[in-house]
Structure formats: structure tokens, C-alpha cells
């Protein structure tokens, strides 16, 4: 695999459990709890709540211990090849690093976030029994906060189209790059995990596509990966992205992430 570990220590343990369970036995870490307690320790930090209106104390496994032993365990079970060893060519990033676009929070989003914060405080005041009966509340608040930060219509499809939303800024950014890349027929990939309201009546991707078409981008140059539901349909679509026929493609990382080869004209 080219990406054995992407984000969590659990992936290290699962990889070793799959390929070298004998090493886990040798190091006496055959269960994940044993593995985690041997190589990490909990760290308490203050983190912003999903609404961004206040902070809360969180304890996470965020610090490694016994790192030399962990490295020894991993290296005994894997063969690692660095990109430099195989002369792997990678395109440079413009500016040398990802470019972050920061937007001020619009008033409608700020008002909604304060409503969510008040709802969370009501949850915090509940008794232990009440919290157990309403254990879904923090997850719902977190999901709504993430949706609202993208576009309030993901929470309420009847909400007004906020000119200051991330959605509308993305329209500007995509159009600017589409226009600049006309001569070379460059392509763009637009990712979003939260892109559709719960009732399906509002879709961020379709909203952006509609606005791009209104600005003059041909509909034939825009594609939503979710409209192509099997490999037989996706293969010719990916070919069109690589040859410059489709210049803007939308999707989630699950559908447009690892294993999708559409990089020939990406800008």
C-alpha cells in the first residue's frame, strides 16, 4: 500500500494485526487497549466547541511514549520505501504549501451558531440520566455546526442564500481558475463531505454548478461524481477530465479520493 497510515494510531495496530500478529504477541500488545496504553498517553487540552462560541476540556491520546520501541515494532513488520528512493515525481504546490482562504463569519451564521451554543449549554445542565436519554444531542449540534459553516441551507433548505457563505466564495474561486485555465483546458476537483441537506432538497454541488453555468461555464464542462454510479460510467468521465473536456468535477473524498487518476490537467 502507498498509504498504510493516514491519521490514527489505530491504523498502525490494525496494519500490524493483519500482517504480523506474531510481533504484537512478542511486544505484548495484542489488544488495541494494550497497544494504545503502551505507546501513547492522554493529554488534556481546551478545544473550541463545534459552534466556535466557547471552549471545552478534552482528553485525547495525543502524545507518544516509548517511541523507539514503536518504531522498532513497525519497521520489523514492514518494508518502507521513500519517494526519493524511486525518483517519484510530484508536482510542486503553488506557494510551496496549501493556500488557505479565510472568510469572516457572516451574521446569519453567527446567529445560528449562538443558537447551537445555547442548545449545548442546555444539554450540559441536564442530569446524568437526561444526558444518557439525549446522548444524540452533541452529535447533532456538531453536524449542524459543520453544515452551517458551509451553507445554512444545508440545515434549512428554505434559508436565504447568504452572499457571504463559503459556497458563494467557492463559486468565485472556481470561476476565476476556470477562466485563467481556458487556454490549457485545466481542471479542478472540488471536495465536500457535507454537501446535501437531510431532505435532499438542497445540494451545495448543484448550487455551485448552477451559478457557474449562469456565469458562462458550459454545463458539459461540469460533472458531479454522484451522478455516475458505477465504474462503467466513471471511467469515461475520468478520461474527459484528463483530456480537458470536463474542467470542474465535484465529489466527496470517498468517491474522488485515493485511486482516482484525474491529475493530468489539475491546476
Amino acid at each position: 500500500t502507498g498509504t498504510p497510515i493516514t491519521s490514527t494510531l489505530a491504523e498502525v495496530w490494525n496494519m500490524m494485526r493483519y500482517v504480523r500478529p506474531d510481533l504484537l504477541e512478542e511486544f505484548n500488545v495484542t489488544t488495541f487497549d494494550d497497544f494504545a496504553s503502551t505507546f501513547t498517553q492522554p493529554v488534556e487540552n481546551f478545544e473550541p466547541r463545534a459552534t466556535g462560541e466557547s471552549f471545552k476540556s478534552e482528553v485525547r491520546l495525543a502524545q507518544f511514549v516509548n517511541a523507539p520501541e514503536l518504531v522498532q515494532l513497525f519497521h520489523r513488520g514492514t518494508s518502507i520505501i521513500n519517494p526519493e528512493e524511486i525518483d517519484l515525481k510530484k508536482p510542486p504546490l503553488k506557494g510551496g504549501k496549501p493556500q488557505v482562504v479565510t472568510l469572516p463569519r457572516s451574521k446569519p451564521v453567527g446567529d445560528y451558531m449562538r443558537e447551537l451554543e445555547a442548545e449545548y449549554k442546555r444539554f450540559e445542565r441536564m442530569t446524568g440520566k437526561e444526558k444518557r436519554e439525549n446522548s444524540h444531542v452533541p452529535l447533532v449540534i456538531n453536524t449542524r455546526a459543520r453544515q452551517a459553516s458551509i451553507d445554512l441551507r444545508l440545515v434549512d433548505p428554505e434559508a436565504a442564500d447568504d452572499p457571504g457563505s463559503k459556497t458563494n466564495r467557492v463559486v468565485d474561486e472556481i470561476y476565476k481558475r476556470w477562466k485563467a485555465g481556458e487556454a490549457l483546458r485545466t481542471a479542478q476537483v472540488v471536495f465536500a463531505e457535507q454537501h446535501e441537506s437531510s431532505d435532499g432538497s438542497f445540494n451545495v454541488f448543484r448550487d455551485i454548478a448552477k451559478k457557474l453555468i449562469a456565469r458562462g461555464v458550459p454545463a458539459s464542462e461540469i460533472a458531479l461524481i454522484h451522478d455516475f454510479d458505477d465504474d462503467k460510467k466513471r471511467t469515461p468521465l475520468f478520461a474527459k477530465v484528463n483530456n480537458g473536456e470536463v474542467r470542474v468535477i465535484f465529489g466527496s473524498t470517498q468517491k474522488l479520493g485515493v485511486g482516482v487518476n484525474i491529475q493530468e490537467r489539475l491546476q
Side-chain angles (χ1 to χ4, degrees):
T1 175
T3 53
I5 303 162
T6 57
S7 58
T8 70
L9 191 70
E11 293 184 34
V12 181
W13 183 75
N14 272 318
M15 177 66 70
M16 298 306 296
R17 185 168 65 100
Y18 181 67
V19 299
R20 292 297 303 272
D22 59 308
L23 287 178
L24 296 181
E25 290 183 11
E26 181 181 330
F27 280 73
N28 200 27
V29 288
T30 54
T31 70
F32 179 70
D33 286 347
D34 289 338
F35 187 83
S37 62
T38 300
F39 297 120
T40 66
Q41 66 182 25
V43 175
E44 183 175 10
N45 280 314
F46 283 97
E47 300 178 357
R49 299 189 192 279
T51 60
E53 297 294 325
S54 62
F55 289 80
K56 60 180 177 179
S57 175
E58 287 285 357
V59 177
R60 302 186 186 278
L61 295 175
Q63 185 169 311
F64 286 103
V65 293
N66 300 319
E69 289 77 11
L70 176 59
V71 171
Q72 181 189 13
L73 167 65
F74 189 71
H75 277 267
R76 283 180 59 184
T78 59
S79 296
I80 299 174
I81 300 175
N82 294 317
E84 295 76 18
E85 297 178 64
I86 56 175
D87 193 29
L88 182 64
K89 303 296 184 184
K90 294 186 290 185
L93 283 175
K94 184 177 181 180
K97 60 182 180 180
Q99 304 298 304
V100 178
V101 177
T102 304
L103 303 181
R105 177 186 285 182
S106 66
K107 185 178 183 305
V109 172
D111 291 343
Y112 184 70
M113 291 300 185
R114 282 185 283 275
E115 291 178 18
L116 292 180
E117 180 66 17
E119 188 174 340
Y120 190 85
K121 288 178 178 178
R122 285 193 293 273
F123 174 80
E124 289 283 81
R125 290 193 293 268
M126 292 180 182
T127 65
K129 180 181 178 182
E130 289 173 330
K131 285 183 177 179
R132 286 192 295 273
E133 293 172 347
N134 294 275
S135 59
H136 63 284
V137 170
L139 179 60
V140 171
I141 290 174
N142 184 276
T143 300
R144 288 178 178 172
R146 289 172 58 203
Q147 291 174 324
S149 69
I150 298 171
D151 197 301
L152 275 173
R153 291 172 294 175
L154 286 171
V155 180
D156 177 11
E158 299 301 318
D161 185 357
D162 181 2
S165 71
K166 289 180 182 177
T167 301
N168 284 310
R169 179 56 181 269
V170 168
V171 173
D172 293 338
E173 295 291 333
I174 294 174
Y175 182 76
K176 179 174 67 177
R177 288 165 174 75
W178 175 83
K179 194 73 176 173
E182 279 188 294
L184 297 176
R185 305 294 296 175
T186 57
Q188 302 176 64
V189 182
V190 184
F191 292 103
E193 308 311 310
Q194 300 280 345
H195 56 84
E196 191 169 70
S197 61
S198 59
D199 64 359
S201 64
F202 174 75
N203 185 294
V204 166
F205 294 150
R206 298 192 190 284
D207 185 71
I208 294 173
K210 181 177 69 176
K211 290 171 179 174
L212 289 173
I213 292 169
R215 292 191 185 192
V217 179
S220 60
E221 294 185 13
I222 301 172
L224 278 66
I225 190 62
H226 303 83
D227 293 337
F228 299 79
D229 53 13
D230 58 43
D231 289 341
K232 187 177 292 186
K233 296 177 181 177
R234 289 174 185 170
T235 298
L237 168 64
F238 295 158
K240 287 182 178 181
V241 177
N242 280 327
N243 66 28
E245 290 180 65
V246 171
R247 298 187 54 208
V248 182
I249 183 168
F250 298 91
S252 62
T253 52
Q254 182 180 5
K255 292 183 180 294
L256 274 181
V258 176
V260 176
N261 295 312
I262 52 174
Q263 66 271 18
E264 295 298 323
R265 293 175 183 264
L266 294 186
Q267 60 184 122

